[in-house]
């Protein structure tokens, strides 16, 4: 074990690249080893300019579902903590083909958690989602919390649930020091524009149609990515081994309200809204009760929805080169296939 070295898998993706940036800017640890396969969602641009300029950051390209690569990673980079952010993360893609979700999210997690144990990693942190709890009805006060049984509905959520169970089983069976965090929907800079908020911002900026699934009244509980990253760090430092922590910012929004606000912030009107075919098995509502993490860890969100969404729109407006770069290749074909280029 090397104190101060953190391995961050999926570090070239949306959330973990924000995590790595904050970790380096604020000195959360001495060294960060990013391990990332660079799938369509993983972009070295997300780590610029740190990747060229900061000697505390080491990038290793590799697959968490490749046992030999994971062994080599932990042999050559003894680490104090492993943060597993790597995943296939988009529900729509999991509906079209669940196989990569099972491979990366389930098998990859099992290989990584087992190798972390063998290599004496002090603590393993599994970054998971509130979607493992299933869906809530639209009307009602009920929210997801740590005691609620898992009931995943999409192949993505099922694969993340399987991963969480394997991590918690490693604690129960082997006494491994693990933490699981289950966070609600994130938004912010560097999010790949297949997810609701960056897709709508990109389309609005380009004067393209905004595809609203079904009636647009599905509810998500949005948190700014920096708040999520700070919560993961806080749980890693102050959490109890074998515990799970639900993370959210008390910010439930129907999709159509999010879209209308993006239209206002981009100076577009509602003629861009286009209702399209619903997602099969679409989860109606997610909502998180994060009182455990407030009470036991002392973490609270700091970024308001109003400021967070406005600064996110501004970030996408300024970073058109990033948008162009990440939407080349696979994404272009995917987008044409699913949205007919609208
Ligand atoms: P993302 O799709 O933007 O990034 C995933 C990253 O993982 C990419 O860099 C990709 O290259 C990498 N990756 C994929 N397969 C890999 C493999 N086999 N080996 C190594 N690297 C691989 O995802 P995100 O939105 O940043 O989500 C990060 C994590 O947070 C995921 O585990 C996700 O389930 C979880 N999460 C996401 C949200 C959200 O709203 N986006 C909310 C809660 C939890
Ligand atoms: P998404 O960002 O894919 O996150 P998740 O499904 O994991 O919550 O979608 C957020 C919500 O937005 C969800 O209810 C589906 C909806 N949605 C649309 O209406 N249109 C779109 O083009 C996309 C990508 C999502």
């Amino acid at each position: 074990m090397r104190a101060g070295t953190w391995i961050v898998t999926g570090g070239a993706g949306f959330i973990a690249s924000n995590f790595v940036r904050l970790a380096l800017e604020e000195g959360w640890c001495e060294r960060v080893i990013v391990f990332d396969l660079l799938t369509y969602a993983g972009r070295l641009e997300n780590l610029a300019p740190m990747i060229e300029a900061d000697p505390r950051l080491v990038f290793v390209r590799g697959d968490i579902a490749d046992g030999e690569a994971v062994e080599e990673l932990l042999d050559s980079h003894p680490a104090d903590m492993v943060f597993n952010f790597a995943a296939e993360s988009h529900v729509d893609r999991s509906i079209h083909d669940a196989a990569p979700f099972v491979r990366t999210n389930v098998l990859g997690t099992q290989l990584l958690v087992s190798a972390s144990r063998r290599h004496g990693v002090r603590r393993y942190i599994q970054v998971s989602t509130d979607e493992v709890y299933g869906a809530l009805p639209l009307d009602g006060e009920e929210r997801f919390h740590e005691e609620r049984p898992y009931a995943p509905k999409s192949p993505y959520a099922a694969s993340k649930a399987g991963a969480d169970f394997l991590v918690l089983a490693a604690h129960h069976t082997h006494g491994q020091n693990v933490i699981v965090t289950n966070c609600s929907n994130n938004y912010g800079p560097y999010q790949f524009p297949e997810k609701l908020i960056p897709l709508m911002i990109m389309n609005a900026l380009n004067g393209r149609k905004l595809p609203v699934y079904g009636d647009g009244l599905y509810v998500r509980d949005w948190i700014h990515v920096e708040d999520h990253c700070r919560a993961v760090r806080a749980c890693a430092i102050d959490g109890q081994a074998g515990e799970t922590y639900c993370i959210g910012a008390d910010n439930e929004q129907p999709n159509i309200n999010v879209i209308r606000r993006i239209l206002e912030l981009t100076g577009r009107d509602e003629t861009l809204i286009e209702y399209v075919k619903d997602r099969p098995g679409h989860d109606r509502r997610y909502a998180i009760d994060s009182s455990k993490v407030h009470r036991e860890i002392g973490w609270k969100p700091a970024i308001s929805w109003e400021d967070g969404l406005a600064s996110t729109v501004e970030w996408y407006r300024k970073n058109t080169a990033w948008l162009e770069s990440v939407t080349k290749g696979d994404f272009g074909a995917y987008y044409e296939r699913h949205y007919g280029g609208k």
Side-chain angles (χ1 to χ4, degrees):
M1 184 196 61
R2 179 176 162 154
T5 295
W6 289 3
I7 289 176
V8 177
T9 71
F14 162 50
I15 301 175
S17 66
N18 280 282
F19 183 85
V20 170
R21 178 168 299 95
L22 285 172
L24 295 174
E25 277 173 9
E26 300 185 2
W28 291 355
C29 58
E30 284 163 27
R31 260 158 50 98
V32 176
I33 316 298
V34 166
F35 186 72
D36 196 298
L37 185 57
L38 299 181
T39 66
Y40 76 96
R43 300 285 167 162
L44 286 178
E45 297 97 305
N46 295 0
L47 294 169
M50 300 173 287
I51 197 150
E52 296 90 18
D54 196 325
R56 296 171 301 165
L57 175 61
V58 174
F59 179 80
V60 180
R61 184 171 191 188
D63 182 352
I64 60 164
D66 172 345
E68 277 177 31
V70 169
E71 281 300 313
E72 205 181 310
L73 168 75
L74 285 152
D75 273 341
S76 39
H77 300 285
D80 177 34
M81 296 211 257
V82 169
F83 293 83
N84 184 25
F85 287 87
E88 287 292 335
S89 67
H90 193 205
V91 172
D92 291 332
R93 286 182 188 253
S94 79
I95 293 167
H96 292 288
D97 182 7
F101 289 72
V102 175
R103 185 176 184 279
T104 289
N105 301 1
V106 183
L107 176 63
T109 296
Q110 182 254 313
L111 292 174
L112 194 64
V113 78
S114 303
S116 298
R117 187 171 65 250
R118 281 197 304 277
H119 285 79
V121 170
R122 185 173 60 80
R123 171 162 276 186
Y124 173 98
I125 297 97
Q126 176 71 7
V127 179
S128 189
T129 164
D130 62 350
E131 302 189 26
V132 297
Y133 294 109
L136 295 165
L138 247 196
D139 43 355
E141 296 296 302
E142 219 185 336
R143 297 191 294 167
F144 298 144
H145 56 84
E146 291 81 0
E147 304 309 318
R148 194 182 166 92
Y150 277 23
K153 300 279 190 273
S154 71
Y156 162 67
S159 68
K160 292 294 291 185
D164 293 3
F165 284 141
L166 287 163
V167 171
L168 293 169
H171 174 75
H172 185 80
T173 309
H174 303 287
Q176 190 171 352
N177 184 342
V178 305
I179 294 275
V180 177
T181 60
N182 297 93
C183 188
S184 62
N185 286 64
N186 284 220
Y187 70 97
Y190 299 98
Q191 186 167 28
F192 195 79
E194 64 184 356
K195 305 274 168 64
L196 179 76
I197 289 185
L199 178 70
M200 298 300 154
I201 297 174
M202 177 177 77
N203 284 8
L205 290 174
N206 294 332
R208 299 175 99 180
K209 292 283 188 192
L210 311 191
V212 182
Y213 295 171
D215 58 13
L217 298 177
Y218 293 85
V219 170
R220 297 294 182 263
D221 192 350
W222 294 97
I223 183 172
H224 191 276
V225 64
E226 287 195 8
D227 277 333
H228 178 200
C229 291
R230 290 181 194 285
V232 169
R233 181 210 181 204
C235 291
I237 290 171
D238 292 323
Q240 292 292 318
E243 291 291 308
T244 68
Y245 296 94
C246 284
I247 300 167
D250 291 329
N251 178 39
E252 290 181 54
Q253 302 284 343
N255 293 340
I256 194 67
N257 292 12
V258 175
I259 291 165
R260 290 205 171 107
R261 186 71 192 120
I262 289 171
L263 287 170
E264 282 167 19
L265 288 164
T266 51
R268 300 286 185 180
D269 64 49
E270 298 204 0
T271 56
L272 288 185
I273 291 177
E274 182 173 63
Y275 286 90
V276 299
K277 199 162 148 274
D278 209 349
R279 170 187 283 174
H282 199 165
D283 287 345
R284 186 43 96 175
R285 170 173 162 254
Y286 303 144
I288 280 268
D289 169 357
S290 33
S291 47
K292 178 178 175 184
V293 78
H294 296 175
R295 195 177 54 245
E296 294 185 14
I297 308 289
W299 169 88
K300 285 208 166 47
I303 302 175
S304 73
W305 169 239
E306 292 70 28
D307 292 351
L309 190 61
S311 64
T312 301
V313 168
E314 214 30 49
W315 188 87
Y316 282 90
R317 197 198 293 282
K318 285 196 186 125
N319 287 275
T320 47
W322 179 89
L323 260 182
E324 269 163 37
S325 161
V326 305
T327 50
K328 276 192 209 128
D330 176 41
F331 181 71
Y334 175 84
Y335 190 78
E336 292 299 322
R337 206 162 54 241
H338 295 293
Y339 303 122
K342 280 181 200 137

